[in-house]
Amino acid sequence: MFATRWKALGLLASVAAILMLAAACSSSSNNKTTTPGNGASATSPAGASATGSTSAPQQGGSITVQALQPQSFDPHFSAFAQDISIDRMVWRGLYRLDKNNKPQPEMAASQPQVSSDSLTYTVKLQSGLKWSDGAPLTAKDFVAGIVRTCAPDTAGQYTSFLFNIVGCEKYSGDTKADAATQQADQAALGVSAPDDTTIVFKLKNPQATFQIQLAMWFTFPVPTQIIKNPATDKWPDDPTKLAFNGPYKIQSYTQKDNLVLVRNDSYHSASSHEAYLDKITEKYIDDTEQADNAFRAGQVDVAIANLANLKAITSDSSTKDAYFHPSQYSSTLGMQFQMKKAPLDKFQVRLALSQAIDRKTLVGLVGGGTYQPATSWIPGALLGIQDDPFESQIGYNPTEAKKNLSDAGYPDGKGFPTLSLEIRNTPANQAVAAFVQNAYKTVLNINITIKAVDSKTRSADYTSRNFELFAPAGWNQDYPDPEDWVAGQFNTGGSQNFTDCSDPQIDSLMAKAAVNLNNDERIAQYKQINELISTKLCGIAPWWSQTVYDWLVNPKIHGMRDNSTSQDSILPSDWNVENWSVSK
Amino acid sequence: MAAYIFRRLIVLIPLLWAVATITFFLMHAVPGGPFVGEKSMPPVLIQHMEAKYGLDKNLGQQYVTFLDNLLHGDLGISYATQQPVTQVIRHGFPATIQLGITAFIFAIVVGLVLGVLSAVNQNGVFDYISVFIATIGAAIPSFVLALLLVLLLSLHFHWFDVIGWKFGNYKSMTLPVVALGLLPAAYIARITRASMLDVLRQDYIRTARAKGLRPLQIVNRHAMRNALVPVLTVAGPIFAGLITGSFIIEYTFAIPGIGTAFVDAVNLRDYGMIMGTVLLYAFAIAICNMLVDVSYGIVDPRIRY
Amino acid sequence: MATSQPQTMSLEPAFSAATAQRGLWGQAWQRLLRNRLAVGAGLVLGIIIVVAILTSFTNVVARYDPATVNYQEVNAGPSASHFFGTDNLGRDTWSRSWQGMRISLKIGFGTQIVVLAIGILVGAGAALGGRFTDGLLMRFTDLTYAFPDLLAIILLRAILTGRDWPLIGTGDPQIPGLSGIVIQMILAIALVSWVTIARLVRGQMLSLKGADYVLAARSMGASTPRIVFTHMLPNTLGPVIVAVTFGIPLAIFAEAVLGFIGFSLQPPAASLGTLINDGYAYYRVNQWMLLVPTVGIAILMLCFTFLGDGLRDALDPRTRR
């Protein structure tokens, strides 16, 4: 006969005990964090970190990093952060953003020549550039890149960023047009290569950020020796069949498993240098906690930190030296309002909803306390202001919140409709929703229902304006300029404006700032726009700023932490990968 | 027998067609589409992408196109990766099938051994051990079990890898196989034990013992064959379950199979991948069931096809 | 199993079939009582169910509302005020675990009720309805059987989620105690699990159709429904009861798997599956959040399994133990 009830229960209890012991033990045991990762050639323990930071970076070595699975290797189509991260390691554009977010010549030889009406940009390419397969890299490859992004068949998610180039918008809309029209529109594009080292861009309107666009992945060149017709030829599925001009090239790719990058000797930048590492292996691990466990076991050298367990990470000897929290924020998140749904059209209602949220406590609950309370939509660093400038106006203030709700016609919450808060279905977002629900109940005495759905359903509801409250929501920066934070989102009828924020002052300021080339003036204009958006809660109540991720970085790796900026995608300073090195 | 197998294979065609049809309409009933992204695209671009993949036609027309393509062996493109679905499946299937088969063998071997030992050694040491293992396997969800194994055997004792899958390398294979196979092993152990006890009570076993045969000979020569029949009954569904249910283990151990492909495909509304994985799994299940029924005929001489 | 009963039954006239049945169930009950493991399991289950029901009615047992947050006592360990500590939002783990139990049990039992209904309908219909109906229903069964279970459940959940439909929608629960999403889970799991019961019922009924006592009853003029419900169904119930008892923990497990990939309940409600999912992310700072629902599921699984074993041994007259 099977063991008796008590035997079985006893076994169960011992299993439970083992689970707890294991969790406790493994977090305190001194694991060999200094064990080199898969294939790493550095041999000394990480105790050498004290000496590593100031000496010149060593050439050679290899590392293994955890990353998220890429969906495509097509920079003109890419929209996912993990794809863009890889794109920037293996290809580069005419310019490159340095640590201060200023464009520096990369494939270009020098800064662009801008015509007096600011509508024509002439860029001189370095001569003698080569692709990783030996073929020459010339101006027509860059023209092909623009053509490809604007081509109707590509349908990339960032195509609209190039709509200021003459003819791009029309050309991209030619999906159902006949071949002749497509040919004509392609020829009419405002980009050309008069000779092998010159590229000329023609813009519709002056644009202060155009040079920044030339550092972005959707303007990367196309290897025309492999892809003869950039508008219609299919981009190869197998990335090893492509050619590269970035610091690294793809040696091998095993779907869902790993990607191996090796140094590209044909990379030649006008402002940067050859990469230090011989090899970078990306290992794809979806479960963040398991990625951290892999880090602890020495199977990967860099892993995304599981913020839910942050306390354990920062106290545990195997991870606390490796923990890296970037200092520059790339995202602002908060609660979005669908302004056409009553009573969200009333300013005082939105103000009450914003003032009822104690941002300081909220950030303590999610993100392990690494998020920063924010009342400004655009990160302060981009405008030269602090991050929390409007705290007294829209920040936590329960008395004011109650008063505002009452003034709006709902004393003590009476008569206020039950609004729905739509969230993405993850434990972290559920914690936020629980917090918000509780806050609105205790401070304002109103009820909200929580609608937790998956990412696609949520996006569908968002774009069809089928929502009332939408959180946490906001923006991840594409490029480090205030323009990126407002274009299309806050102007009446903007293509990305799903909250229906509509303010004539904002509209006129945005129209002016978009074509203003005087940097001080335009920053001042964006400051004003930011103040209007934030203090009037036009479509959004900002809650916190955050970095894209926090990481565990093996101390033997250098150049990652010091080069991290708000441009990080999946790995710290993955836009600047040639600076990574390992200490021997 | 050959005729039977042939008949079963023929039946597969309308079966798969029915599965494909149901899946087609079910997946289009899920709200949202593949091109609504996190960074919402201008609606004009969404329309372009939908036109590019034929998603702007009405459902009936899409179904006809889909069937037509299916008959030519074309499952379409995976929107997320822009690769043909058949290619994505071809790359991912090996790892899943390796994991499934290894876990299956583990479950059968461990289950049989534990079950037989349990039946033969009632209340002895082996009984205790097998109860312990069976308890853990049957009572703890596989994802918690996986975590427990990683914490103890990987991080603490450093015996096995935390993540990864290299076929033939015991360090990377052991934890996923155990985490996946322990539940079916426990189930098989229980069935084997019950069936073995049943068989051991039979008269012909008493005769064998009276004849003076040693216990091992009795078990091997007489008892096993008959005790195996109920195990066969569950072997098919178990194998099918291992193949289709491996996604949690694949997710936890970062195994590059297609187990996670389905859940990802549903979340991304990647219609081609949804259809591809469902058809693949349905086909695998149908083949398994057929093999089980065929092996019935081999093991039990009373059954004639 | 049922083949032994017609021998006893055909010696009795049909009108005393009822008394003979009671005797049969009585014997089974006696056998069950002698199995201490099954009795123990049943007792533990009984206690759990009673406490679970109590926690939904009175706060004395639950001590806290499972949804009440407390940001001052986040991730606290066990104490006198919080038996199992608190979770990452300061909610009491004791009361949340009981809520998880309640909902998992509802899903477990609910699934089997639906499975029984469908299974008996299809199985009996196939066995008694003539060759064409049999063929049709069996093809339908084969189709359901061939469709990968978990995939079907995920698809169904994805389709039904977040709608405003009656019964299964997002509004207030129409059936008290069963919110829309719980009904969705029940339906989704049940719709893929009824095949075993249907085949079982059909198999039993087919063999019973030609049994002597059924012929006897028919020759005495009993109507078909009476035959089915009074004579045939009770004799099929044995293996069906056993299958249902094993089906409950399987349904609870399936829900746990769905909870882990995020296809189960919404906040702040929680089933054992979603509790495990939440606890999984925080286990390094708060082991109790993961431990309690895991042990909870383990106890449920073991109890139902032992009980099922006991029922099977009790209802099978060939067992002599």
Side-chain angles (χ1 to χ4, degrees), chain B residues 82-117:
Chain B
Q82 299 286 301
Q83 287 184 37
V85 169
T86 39
Q87 191 176 318
V88 177
I89 291 183
R90 221 172 348 119
H91 283 145
F93 194 57
T96 302
I97 201 87
Q98 287 164 3
L99 176 62
I101 292 184
T102 318
F104 182 65
I105 294 176
F106 172 82
I108 296 271
V109 167
V110 171
L112 281 181
V113 167
L114 289 183
V116 167
L117 283 179

Side-chain angles (χ1 to χ4, degrees), chain B residues 6-57:
Chain B
F6 186 69
R7 257 186 293 133
R8 288 291 292 261
L9 286 174
I10 291 286
V11 159
L12 264 186
I13 299 176
L15 190 69
L16 287 180
W17 167 82
V19 169
T21 308
I22 294 179
T23 309
F24 183 85
F25 289 105
L26 276 185
M27 71 187 184
H28 281 276
V30 181
F35 302 119
V36 214
E38 281 287 326
K39 276 256 161 104
S40 321
M41 288 196 282
V44 157
L45 276 184
I46 298 181
Q47 282 166 21
H48 289 165
M49 307 223 8
E50 294 191 342
K52 182 174 169 181
Y53 294 109
L55 289 174
D56 52 343
K57 306 206 187 70

Side-chain angles (χ1 to χ4, degrees), chain B residues 23 75 85 89 258 271-281:
Chain B
T23 309
L75 280 168
V85 169
I89 291 183
I258 47 164
Y271 298 132
M273 279 305 291
I274 296 178
M275 182 60 72
T277 45
V278 170
L279 286 178
L280 181 69
Y281 284 154

Side-chain angles (χ1 to χ4, degrees), chain C residues 26 34 51 53 69 74 92 104 134 152 169 198 228 230 240 256 286 298 303 309:
Chain C
R34 267 182 272 137
V51 178
I53 295 179
V69 294
V74 164
D92 179 42
S104 287
D134 185 21
V228 170
T230 325
V240 167
N286 184 347
C303 284
D309 273 341

Side-chain angles (χ1 to χ4, degrees), chain B residues 197-216:
Chain B
L197 282 177
D198 216 36
V199 162
L200 286 177
R201 263 186 271 118
Q202 299 292 323
D203 290 339
Y204 66 92
I205 297 293
R206 264 200 282 164
T207 314
R209 228 178 275 151
K211 266 188 356 183
L213 284 178
R214 282 172 282 126
L216 196 62

Side-chain angles (χ1 to χ4, degrees), chain A residues 197-263:
Chain A
T197 53
T198 312
I199 305 146
V200 180
F201 297 94
K202 288 214 179 332
L203 304 181
K204 295 205 300 218
N205 298 308
Q207 183 185 354
T209 57
F210 183 67
Q211 202 189 353
I212 293 180
Q213 311 300 326
L214 295 179
M216 299 285 113
W217 55 95
F218 41 87
T219 62
F220 285 172
V222 169
T224 52
Q225 72 274 24
I226 299 172
I227 295 169
K228 305 284 197 290
N229 186 336
T232 55
D233 278 357
K234 197 171 166 337
W235 198 259
D237 301 322
D238 179 3
T240 59
K241 297 223 177 1
L242 289 162
F244 307 99
N245 71 323
Y248 288 90
K249 58 186 179 188
I250 296 178
Q251 184 184 64
S252 71
Y253 172 58
T254 311
Q255 192 174 315
K256 290 177 79 161
D257 193 19
N258 63 34
L259 175 77
V260 179
L261 300 169
V262 293
R263 181 170 48 235

Side-chain angles (χ1 to χ4, degrees), chain C residues 160-183:
Chain C
L160 297 175
T161 203
R163 310 256 194 179
D164 285 323
W165 296 349
L167 259 198
I168 60 172
T170 49
D172 284 329
Q174 262 105 8
I175 305 180
L178 290 175
S179 66
I181 188 161
V182 171
I183 298 188

Side-chain angles (χ1 to χ4, degrees), chain A residues 389-411:
Chain A
F390 310 117
E391 157 76 22
S392 54
Q393 290 162 287
I394 64 171
Y396 184 51
N397 193 334
T399 350
E400 277 297 309
K402 279 197 253 276
K403 183 172 159 309
N404 280 313
L405 192 64
S406 185
D407 290 347
Y410 305 98

